[in-house]
Amino acid sequence: MTLTRGSLAALVTLIIGAICLMLEPSFDWVVKWPAAWTLPITQWLGDGVGTVLQVLKPGTRLIAAGLQTVLDVAGAALAGMPWPLLLGGTTALGWYLGGLRLAALGFLGLGYVLISGYWIESMATLSLVLVSVPMAALAGLAIGILAYEVPRIKNGVQAVLDIMQTIPTFAYLTPLLVLFSFGPVVGLIASAIYAAPPMARNVLLGLERVDSDIREAAIMSGGKRWQQLFLVELPAATSQVMVGVNQCIMAALSMVIIAAVIGGFGDIGWEVLLTMRKAWFGPALIAGTVIVMFAVVMDRMSFALSQPRRSHSSRVLMVIGLLTLISAAVVALAYPDPSRISLLGGISDAMNSALTDVNVSYGASLDSVKNTAMFYGLLPMKIGLDNAVLPFTWGFEWTSSHTVWYFATVIGIGALLAWRGHVTGGLVAVIVAGMLETGIAELPWPFVLVGAAAIGWVPGGWKLARLPLIWLTVILLSGLWDKSLQSLYLSGAAILACGLLGGLLGLWGALSVNAWRVLQPICDMLQTIPLFVFLIPVIMFFQIGDFSAFLAICMYAIAPMIRYTRHGLTTTPDEMIEAAVSSGANTRQILTEVRIPYAVPSILLGLNQTILYAFAMLVIAALVGTTELGQLIYQSLTKNDVGLGLASGGAMLILALVADRLVQGFAEERRKALGL
Amino acid sequence: MSEAKSAAPAIAVEGLWQVFGSNARAVLNEVRVAGGMRETASKLIDKGLIPAVREASFEVASGELFVIMGLSGSGKSTLIRCISRLIDPTSGAVRIDGEDILTAKDARMIELRRHKLGMVFQHFGLFPHMTVSDNVGFPLKMQGAGKAERRKRALEVINLVGLEGREDAYPRELSGGQRQRVGIARSLAVNPDIWFLDEPFSALDPLIRRQLQDEFLNIQATLKKSIVFITHDIAEALKLADRIAIMRDGEIVQIGTPTQIVLNPVDDYVREFARDIPKGRHMTLGEVMEPMGEAALAGDWPELRTGMSLEDALTRCAASFEAVPVHDGDGKVVGMVRPENFVKALGGETS
């Protein structure tokens, strides 16, 4: 019998796993990488980067002072201007960009901010966004153009952009704190760093997609290089560049909110964090909704920039302008202080007590939901059946005889599968069952290394097998292995849940137009809301801990899975479906035989996005009390420990990138096989 | 000096190579065999390089309409991009009015493009963010012409291509045929001497294509540009060309007038192209007649001239025959046919 590539990889992994299990009782180092074998990477990073930072510090402090001035001016202008000006201006902008729909959105969104009582805090956040977006957009534009003009550096630039977007956002807050000292400028710089890559990426993409005939026509018209670029190529790429602006604005807002954890700039993110810590969920919800309003208004308006525009009556624009000015004058005289227009104060208190009531009266059921998920799902995944099965939860104690019976059954099932022709399936079933018995956080490291390499070897050969081997070894040497496995468990559980549930929802959305009508706005919403806000509902109902973190990650990471699955399933070429119909296939057969196989690359891309989203959220989820790398990064921030922050951020980056490359490898292989 | 210039052909291409791949120039110099183009090309392929244009040489006279015909992948688009220097050829020379443009500095190329060269693209290459008149005026803007002047000249050429009234439309509001009219107008805006057209009509519907071909011939009849025209359609080549170059695998296999191509194809490849062409329409009487002295043949003959196409001549000859009766299955006479009816029916559209 000849083994396929997949079954060979699975067999090797299984053998290594089995050996590790046998060695485990007598050799401790199989599971726990000994401290003596680690290198003080954290220390080196801290010292090395620390020295560099000290050298840069005088210069950056000067920049910080300059930016602080700009920020002060913007903040004073926004907070000082009569609020009808901003409200009217946003409404007018909405009308100009998208007619009645966006005008209404702008008016209602800003109106909500006004009556929420958080106007002043909101203006602090808005001034950060207003200063950081132009910085990020210009930097992104410059980087995009540079990468386009100098093809030699293109690959390098793209790799750096990848890293900048994948490295956990908290990880570079610590070095920035050292450079720019405590204050809003750190949030500003961090959000500019975070928001520049999507802009650069879209500029590059847009320029590369300009039709070659258009490019050549500009040359043949006798344009100089700068004329070709600025008069023809960039304008021809406008709609893609505007997609970049949209993503840039959303990233900047998201990061400005996250940077609030540093505290001290009296902005809306800080308000949410504060009320959440005090368990004042009424105000937390209202402040969180302010963030959502900002996000939705900014997203929809900047998205309108990338769409072909219809002009809307300028008369209406003038009416809005006039009304704005009149009310601004009146308000400036009558109600100078917008923070006193807090119409939601009473509602907030009512909500607070209502939520407390809910938590009191349904506390038991909420707890039982949480405990069921923990005891029968998350805990076994984390520490394995052998440790998680206890008398007071499962009703009995896991003993070594259970282990023997468990493995005997599993091997039997695996053998049956293999005998029926599914050799790889049988082997994988045994491996997965073994992992469940051991627990992800307690997997032996040789097994993880060989397993990851084997997964890479299947689609990508030795080249893709080497990557996880080298990089995971770096984590081992750094001494962050335990925490990394915990991260792997938490994100793995969320990714598994998102993959299954998101895949099913995507399938549902593909089969039913009505279902998609419901799902699409939900997905849009989940992808618009800044990460931070996801924490409010989970912490409200389930307090802090792994389960809350798991839920928050799932909420954020499920959207791409739904979207890509549906997209893959609905874009099957008509000819293929017609060919299947004329071959006599029924609806179910068309789905399983044609549409799903054709959608696999797209579904894998969705999974890939879900993985990256999950890792991004992992760090934010640390705020609700986890025990993994994200927590280390968060702690490094409070302890001002540059080395720890960078090392654990780096470890998380490695995990995310390795997972990304492995899934991409499979997606690529499928695309090639389908000739796409 | 000025005499030497006027005697030079509008475009002269000599021994032009375009090889794609790393370090192409050095490898080409290394493996080049004098006079052995095919041998050189096969050595290049062995080394993993792609010789897209192989030692192309030809001249285009002033006012001549020179068509380069070949299937996709034959290197014709690469060739026109070498001549217009949108890409830099690996080796060889391209002279425009005697000036070698491959050694010309960038500034000089910009100068030439602003005043002397015009180009039309297969997918039009219109700037999506500009109106028709801004598109047409763009080369003038590059010259530094003022707004009013650009508008005036743009309207002139827009009228020339029959788009009057659409000058303030955007490309997305136009049909394919109209878009290519804009492309043609733009390429003529600076009144260039040399006109490059890269498959200008290939992306259009057959009816629109024929219409634009006819208008193109009308424009050329008045403007008398020196033209390099790329196509993959032999019928289009035969209809438009003064001379045709046929390309295969990067190699020019034959250059000749439409008649020469149809009558004397150099090999089976060219013969395949010419096979489906109604020869009677492209051959003239002069090419098939038997020479004779001054002696006059007696009789009342139809008037034939050497420049007539065979179809026309045959129609006239056939007209001098009597009509012939046509019977039905039972032998009853049901109609009659004149020999010229046959010729007309078989020849398609004769005048």
Side-chain angles (χ1 to χ4, degrees), chain A residues 235-597:
Chain A
T238 306
S239 85
Q240 193 69 44
V241 172
M242 286 304 157
V243 170
V245 170
N246 171 254
Q247 292 178 4
C248 178
I249 291 175
M250 297 318 288
L253 176 67
S254 184
M255 189 64 196
V256 161
I257 305 282
I258 290 168
V261 298
I262 309 171
F265 14 121
D267 68 333
I268 192 75
W270 177 245
E271 210 55 47
V272 172
L273 199 64
L274 209 64
T275 46
M276 232 161 45
R277 280 190 187 148
K278 293 182 195 155
W280 289 354
F281 293 120
L285 266 184
I286 286 178
T289 315
V290 169
I291 298 179
V292 173
M293 284 297 166
F294 266 123
V296 172
V297 170
M298 286 180 181
D299 181 52
R300 299 301 179 262
M301 285 198 184
S302 58
F303 179 75
L305 288 173
S306 66
Q307 301 300 100
R309 195 162 322 146
R310 283 179 306 155
S311 55
H312 298 280
S313 158
S314 53
R315 236 178 255 159
V316 177
L317 211 57
M318 272 155 63
V319 170
I320 298 176
L322 206 63
L323 283 177
T324 306
L325 286 179
I326 294 171
S327 46
V330 172
V331 163
L333 295 171
Y335 305 96
D337 184 5
S339 59
R340 290 174 56 189
I341 315 173
S342 176
L343 302 182
L344 296 184
I347 299 175
S348 151
D349 291 341
M351 265 164 67
N352 223 4
S353 52
L355 282 168
T356 317
D357 288 349
V358 168
N359 270 328
V360 169
S361 45
Y362 296 98
S365 12
L366 287 174
D367 273 353
S368 79
V369 169
K370 177 166 134 183
N371 289 339
T372 311
M374 280 307 291
F375 292 140
Y376 302 107
L378 290 177
L379 263 184
M381 271 186 88
K382 186 179 188 176
I383 53 177
L385 287 169
D386 54 350
N387 291 321
V389 175
L390 294 169
F392 80 99
T393 53
W394 289 63
F396 62 95
E397 174 96 41
W398 188 274
T399 58
S400 46
S401 69
H402 283 109
T403 307
V404 172
W405 279 111
Y406 177 77
F407 275 109
T409 317
V410 161
I411 290 171
I413 293 171
L416 188 69
L417 275 172
W419 182 65
R420 296 283 300 272
H422 304 287
V423 180
T424 316
L427 289 167
V428 170
V430 177
I431 295 173
V432 170
M435 284 168 69
L436 195 59
E437 198 270 345
T438 318
I440 292 180
E442 291 174 10
L443 285 177
W445 57 266
F447 169 78
V448 177
L449 256 61
V450 172
I455 293 174
W457 181 75
V458 175
W462 290 114
K463 219 178 136 207
L464 200 52
R466 218 165 43 210
L467 179 103
L469 267 186
I470 294 172
W471 285 105
L472 293 180
T473 309
V474 172
I475 298 186
L476 272 175
L477 290 175
S478 73
L480 292 167
W481 185 253
D482 292 351
K483 297 284 181 196
S484 300
L485 281 187
Q486 303 238 2
S487 294
L488 209 56
Y489 132 75
L490 193 53
S491 54
I495 290 163
L496 190 69
C498 289
L500 291 177
L501 187 61
L504 284 177
L505 288 175
L507 179 65
W508 188 40
L511 294 180
S512 148
V513 179
N514 285 328
W516 184 237
R517 254 184 227 135
V518 177
L519 287 172
Q520 191 183 17
I522 295 178
C523 285
D524 283 350
M525 205 56 172
L526 290 178
Q527 288 187 302
T528 311
I529 296 175
L531 314 186
F532 201 57
V533 180
F534 290 104
L535 300 181
I536 305 174
V538 296
I539 214 172
M540 215 155 65
F541 292 116
F542 299 107
Q543 294 82 40
I544 59 167
D546 275 9
F547 184 64
S548 291
F550 167 80
L551 277 186
I553 297 172
C554 284
M555 281 167 71
Y556 181 58
I558 198 169
M561 191 66 203
I562 301 176
R563 225 181 254 286
Y564 279 76
T565 304
R566 178 195 168 265
H567 177 80
L569 288 173
T570 47
T571 51
T572 331
D574 288 343
E575 284 170 32
M576 278 170 59
I577 297 195
E578 283 162 7
V581 171
S582 58
S583 311
N586 62 27
T587 313
R588 189 187 51 78
Q589 285 169 322
I590 292 175
L591 188 67
T592 55
E593 300 293 325
V594 179
R595 289 170 73 177
I596 290 181

Side-chain angles (χ1 to χ4, degrees), chain A residues 211-225 227-228 231-233 235-236 238 309, chain B residues 81 84 86 110 113-114 117 119 121-130 138-139 141-142 186 196:
Chain A
D211 196 14
S212 72
D213 275 4
I214 291 179
R215 227 185 315 233
E216 290 180 341
I219 302 176
M220 289 309 289
S221 299
K224 293 183 174 136
R225 183 63 204 131
Q227 288 174 317
Q228 294 163 25
L231 296 182
V232 174
E233 293 173 23
T238 306
R309 195 162 322 146
Chain B
R81 277 168 178 70
S84 56
L86 283 169
I110 288 176
R113 285 174 179 146
R114 284 181 182 177
L117 310 178
M119 185 154 174
F121 298 89
Q122 180 176 3
H123 300 292
F124 325 135
L126 299 185
F127 308 135
H129 55 291
M130 296 182 194
F138 188 77
K141 187 177 181 180
M142 295 298 99
R186 181 177 60 193
F196 300 117

